[in-house]
Amino acid sequence: MTKISLAAHPFLLGFDQLERLAERAAKGAEGYPPYNIEHQGPDGFRITLAVAGFSEEDLALTLEDRQLVVRGRQTEPEEERVFLHRGIASRAFQRSFVLADGVEVVAAKLENGLLNIDLRRSTPETVVQTIPISRK
């Protein structure tokens, strides 16, 4: 069976990256850690991840090719601890978010076990470009 691509349509020239972005966004749809995405104001967004037990040193945020990646890895404490019940997840995680063109990370703050990542969409100036037609 042949896979029909959205980007194969003749009116959608150069949109083949859109399909790759959708595939990247679908990957890593794991449920840990839980998160919220809020719309703030006309051009703002906030991603909030529940990272109880993680410190700033245990978390890493990277932005590469419009993909925001949040990684968490807790270091094991030096002392031996004996748990009678262990219900608080402390496993390593990686959560990815694909950002649209023009969306930039403004700030990240860890507060009360919640990692808040503030994003802002910048409004690009519309540019009209005249293309000269040359003769042979």
Side-chain angles (χ1 to χ4, degrees):
M1 178 177 217
T2 305
K3 179 181 174 186
I4 298 175
S5 172
L6 171 71
H9 194 279
F11 295 138
L12 298 175
L13 297 174
F15 282 90
D16 50 332
Q17 289 183 350
L18 183 63
E19 192 168 5
R20 286 195 300 270
L21 283 173
E23 288 174 4
R24 270 191 354 205
K27 289 181 184 175
E30 180 187 320
Y32 179 76
Y35 67 94
N36 293 336
I37 300 178
E38 303 171 55
H39 189 234
Q40 295 187 323
D43 295 322
F45 303 94
R46 173 174 276 179
I47 300 171
T48 303
L49 289 98
V51 292
F54 287 84
S55 68
E56 290 93 347
E57 295 80 26
D58 298 332
L59 299 169
L61 275 76
T62 57
L63 183 60
E64 182 178 338
D65 192 28
R66 294 185 292 168
Q67 184 167 358
L68 174 65
V69 180
V70 182
R71 291 181 181 88
R73 177 178 297 286
Q74 287 183 324
T75 55
E76 288 297 319
E78 301 287 327
E79 72 229 28
E80 280 294 316
R81 296 166 65 184
V82 178
F83 291 96
L84 299 178
H85 171 75
R86 190 165 188 175
I88 300 173
S90 62
R91 63 183 183 263
F93 70 87
Q94 177 174 317
R95 175 70 75 176
S96 300
F97 302 92
V98 178
L99 305 180
D101 280 336
V103 174
E104 56 188 28
V105 178
V106 177
K109 183 178 11 171
L110 183 62
E111 187 174 39
N112 299 325
L114 298 174
L115 176 63
N116 295 309
I117 305 167
D118 293 327
L119 308 168
R120 183 182 62 223
R121 180 186 0 238
S122 58
T123 358
E125 299 175 16
T126 50
V127 176
V128 177
Q129 182 179 3
T130 303
I131 314 297
I133 301 173
S134 61
R135 294 181 182 214
K136 276 190 169 183

